[in-house]
Amino acid sequence: MILANSTAFSQKGTNNNTDTCTITVSCATAQNIANELVKGDSCIAELIAAQSTLILTKQENKAKQGIINAYVVKEQTYKKQVDAYKEIQDTQESMIVGLEKRVKRSKSTSKFLGSVLGTAGSVLIVTTIVGFLMH
């Protein structure tokens, strides 16, 4: 129980033990004690609020790290897609080059065969005519 008047502050022991002493202090000292008790209570409340804020901040950081990790995985997937696309392009280019070479060879072979067949055809016609005339 706390008793205060304008000149002194007094507190009696409130527990039911053998503590029955009375302490008397000046009002200024009592006010300082009361202020310190209030400040202590405020500090405890502030500490609890700071701890709650810290917990929320840790949760927020964990969530942000999860988002970052998701973007890292996305980036890796995009890199794999780009590499696969480059590989497809390289394969297509090498196939195109190979086909172009085959077309050139086919053209030169067909020209050669055309000239050979043209010559052979001419020889065959001449031989046929000559053979026909000789009979």
Side-chain angles (χ1 to χ4, degrees), residues 19-121:
D19 185 13
T20 58
C21 67
T22 300
I23 301 171
T24 304
V25 292
S26 68
C27 263
T29 304
Q31 286 175 344
N32 287 339
I33 292 170
N35 287 338
E36 291 298 321
L37 289 173
V38 169
K39 284 182 187 177
D41 290 343
S42 295
C43 288
I44 291 170
E46 189 176 330
L47 177 61
I48 291 170
Q51 288 172 335
S52 297
T53 303
L54 180 62
I55 290 169
L56 291 174
T57 302
K58 284 181 180 180
Q59 291 172 346
E60 181 183 8
N61 286 343
K62 196 173 189 179
K64 285 180 181 179
Q65 189 60 47
I67 292 169
I68 290 169
N69 291 341
Y71 279 109
V72 167
V73 170
K74 263 186 166 181
E75 179 187 15
Q76 291 169 349
T77 303
Y78 288 143
K79 283 183 179 181
K80 287 179 184 177
Q81 288 175 343
V82 167
D83 291 343
Y85 183 73
K86 285 180 183 177
E87 188 176 328
I88 289 170
Q89 279 185 317
D90 291 344
T91 303
Q92 287 175 341
E93 286 178 17
S94 67
M95 289 174 70
I96 289 170
V97 167
L99 289 172
E100 287 173 343
K101 286 180 182 178
R102 289 173 84 183
V103 166
K104 283 182 185 178
R105 273 189 256 141
S106 294
K107 282 183 179 179
S108 65
T109 302
S110 81
K111 282 183 184 178
F112 174 73
L113 286 176
S115 65
V116 167
L117 289 176
T119 305

